Amino acid sequence: MGLLVWLESLPLSVWVHESPSIWAQPTVLTFHTMGMAVLVGASWVLDLRLLGVSRKVPLSAFHWVFRTVAISLIVNLVTGVLLFMARATLWGAAFPFLIKILLVVASAATLLPIRSYVLRNPDQLEVSGQARLLAIASILAWSLAIASGRLLAYTVAG
Amino acid sequence: MPSITSFNLAHVHMLLNHVPTVGAVVALGLLIVAFVRRDESLKLVGLEVLFAIALLTLPAYMTGVAAFQKVRNQPGVADAAIRLHQDVALYGFTWMEFAGFIGWVALWQARRRGRAAAGMVGAATALTAVALVVMAQAANLGGNIRHPEMGGAVAPAIDSAEYLAAKISYVMVNSPWAWPASETVHFLGLSLSFGVLLAVNLRILGVMKQVPFGDVHRLLPWGMLGFVANLITGMLFFVGQPGQYLDSAPFYWKVVFLMIAGANFLYLTVFKKAWAAELNLADKSMAIVSLFSWLVVLYAGRMLPFIGHAF
């Protein structure tokens, strides 16, 4: 708890939380939302391809997804840390927040086996059953992650 | 400094309220003539007009709610007449969006197969006719609000809680789960739409150059799915708590850029040149405008509680 109190008392945390500036919490939160749209949207496009949408497109054409996901993950990591610091004692002690983080980590983790599958089968059009299962897991995990994140506004920071 | 919210929305409504009825007549006329003449390309024109009308019906409805707030307490304006007009307009809006959606599906199919499926165009035409009938009724009831001297029907006096808009609002405000659940769906929908449009626009900008555009075009119905989910949930928010959006600058910008993004969605669906291997600067600018518009829609939506005062 001492660590959370210290985090929350840092000048940067206080600024994000208390500044009336549009560049403080509103902008950080908005970038977090835009990052989410890019991150989840790009992941879902690849998941849809693995499940058979646009099946004529070779998997190698989707390399841009991994770069896009990497950039948006960094954006959301930075903005997420800022939002956490701003109210560290609140988030740090909230069970629903822990669930959200676990879901985000689980969702992002599905990208690793999906990436290695895509890199191993660049010219392939048919997708293995295992990769399809991964795609379904990815879609569901991101959906739950978004739902749990959105509901934090009601469960924790009401 | 003049702000976008200083527009008199009641006046804008007087302008836009003709779009759904007059537009539906034009779209319906084009589709019927196309059927009679068996003119395939005219069918596509009719469907494109229908899509544009469905898009513009959104601000037509929204400015109407704004006009309601403006005139509701003025002498000579019957509250019941406005509420009845508003309810019928909400039904008309729903039919119009449904017609526009089916019309879009027909356009998407036509782009792939070379011609529109007769059944889909027929369904879109029938739905446009229904939307037109309901909208004409809404227009007639709207005219009664300020022109009772023309001798229109008098709105029956019923409890104001009995109107459809009031019922939706009651559930959205009082149910513990309706608002959070709609927000969750709205976030899922925005991610799906944005992901699909990112992929399609990146293709135009030269990423995935080796892939024929037609293969990327397959993704568009998934973007439409996200858009439909967000239109429904977005309307639930708006009908639920219209007051918190109507004097909110980011909400205005959101709707304006939604129109631009919607027009671009139509371009991505039907434009022939998008299928060419090499795209020129104009096409690439369209892709940039599309991505920029969606980002503005996201930005303005998320900023609603901070620049405006909505949640």
Side-chain angles (χ1 to χ4, degrees):
Chain A
M1 206 64 192
L3 182 69
L4 296 174
V5 173
W6 173 77
L7 256 183
E8 203 171 74
S9 67
L10 292 175
L12 183 61
S13 316
V14 174
W15 178 77
V16 172
H17 184 42
E18 288 173 15
S19 166
S21 163
I22 199 76
W23 299 106
Q25 209 226 339
T27 299
V28 177
L29 190 57
T30 300
F31 273 90
H32 201 65
T33 308
M34 289 170 154
M36 174 203 82
V38 176
L39 171 60
V40 179
S43 304
W44 278 351
V45 164
L46 180 54
D47 293 336
L48 284 173
R49 166 63 189 88
L50 293 175
L51 291 174
V53 181
S54 297
R55 64 175 79 232
K56 285 183 196 155
V57 180
L59 295 181
S60 59
F62 286 91
H63 284 175
W64 64 271
V65 167
F66 302 115
R67 283 193 294 273
T68 309
V69 159
I71 294 167
S72 47
L73 260 179
I74 291 170
V75 169
N76 275 25
L77 189 65
V78 170
T79 51
V81 164
L82 284 172
L83 291 168
F84 180 84
M85 286 167 66
R87 304 191 72 181
T89 55
L90 177 77
W91 300 123
F95 186 64
F97 179 76
L98 183 65
I99 292 181
K100 177 202 159 153
I101 294 302
L102 289 176
L103 282 168
V104 170
V105 171
S107 311
T110 62
L111 280 157
L112 295 172
I114 287 176
R115 179 169 180 271
S116 69
Y117 180 82
V118 169
L119 294 183
R120 266 184 288 123
N121 305 285
D123 302 318
Q124 198 165 324
L125 298 182
E126 282 303 311
V127 174
S128 74
Q130 207 184 1
R132 283 175 205 223
L133 276 180
L134 277 171
I136 292 172
S138 166
I139 290 175
L140 287 178
W142 281 125
S143 303
L144 291 172
I146 288 182
S148 65
R150 181 75 298 255
L151 296 177
L152 285 178
Y154 299 90
T155 51
V156 181
Chain B
M1 200 177 78
S3 153
I4 190 167
T5 54
S6 50
F7 267 113
N8 186 336
L9 282 189
H11 282 243
V12 179
H13 185 60
M14 294 304 109
L15 185 73
L16 279 179
N17 65 17
H18 299 90
V19 170
T21 35
V22 177
V25 170
V26 172
L28 192 60
L30 286 170
L31 288 168
I32 289 172
V33 170
F35 265 111
V36 172
R37 287 196 189 164
R38 298 172 193 279
D39 186 336
E40 289 303 317
S41 59
L42 191 58
K43 280 183 192 171
L44 300 183
V45 174
L47 294 172
E48 285 162 20
V49 171
L50 173 61
F51 184 85
I53 299 303
L55 212 54
L56 286 168
T57 302
L58 186 72
Y61 181 83
M62 288 173 166
T63 52
V65 179
F68 178 26
Q69 311 280 356
K70 197 147 264 176
V71 301
R72 61 189 307 177
N73 294 321
Q74 287 176 13
V77 175
D79 196 69
I82 304 184
R83 285 180 185 275
L84 186 64
H85 162 61
Q86 189 180 11
D87 261 20
V88 179
L90 187 53
Y91 282 114
F93 171 84
T94 309
W95 282 107
M96 192 68 90
E97 296 314 295
F98 193 32
F101 169 71
I102 298 294
W104 179 83
V105 174
L107 281 170
W108 181 79
Q109 283 181 336
R111 192 64 201 82
R112 310 197 65 78
R113 297 178 186 163
R115 56 181 292 165
M120 286 305 265
V121 186
T125 308
L127 286 167
T128 308
V130 175
L132 174 59
V133 170
V134 182
M135 274 301 184
Q137 206 160 7
N140 187 30
L141 289 164
N144 282 344
I145 295 168
R146 269 314 207 180
H147 299 287
E149 75 279 5
M150 292 173 100
V154 177
I158 58 171
D159 186 354
S160 59
E162 288 298 307
Y163 292 97
L164 176 67
K167 282 182 184 165
I168 292 174
S169 178
Y170 183 84
V171 173
M172 289 306 288
V173 174
N174 292 298
S175 155
W177 55 265
W179 202 282
S182 303
E183 276 190 342
T184 303
V185 172
H186 207 70
F187 273 55
L188 295 172
L190 78 85
S191 301
L192 183 58
S193 276
F194 192 84
V196 167
L197 286 154
L198 183 67
V200 176
N201 283 310
L202 281 179
R203 166 65 184 77
I204 291 182
L205 289 173
V207 181
M208 300 191 278
K209 212 178 275 182
Q210 72 280 26
V211 177
F213 187 80
D215 292 338
V216 184
H217 188 262
R218 278 229 170 268
L219 281 167
L220 283 176
W222 292 90
M224 186 45 116
L225 176 69
F227 185 73
V228 167
N230 280 21
L231 182 66
I232 293 171
T233 49
M235 278 303 282
L236 288 176
F237 300 136
F238 183 77
V239 176
Q241 290 270 63
Q244 66 174 348
Y245 303 110
L246 286 172
D247 54 358
S248 168
F251 185 71
Y252 286 42
W253 288 115
K254 182 171 177 168
V255 175
V256 167
F257 276 88
L258 204 54
M259 295 297 112
I260 300 173
N264 186 271
F265 197 81
L266 184 62
Y267 157 86
L268 292 174
T269 306
V270 301
F271 192 51
K272 290 194 173 59
K273 250 179 82 192
W275 294 59
E278 274 308 305
L279 294 160
N280 62 22
L281 197 62
D283 304 316
K284 292 190 176 178
S285 329
M286 280 295 270
I288 300 273
V289 168
S290 173
L291 288 175
F292 177 76
S293 303
W294 285 109
L295 283 175
V296 173
V297 171
L298 278 181
Y299 176 86
R302 182 65 270 197
M303 279 291 186
L304 279 172
F306 306 112
I307 302 178
H309 48 73
F311 50 82

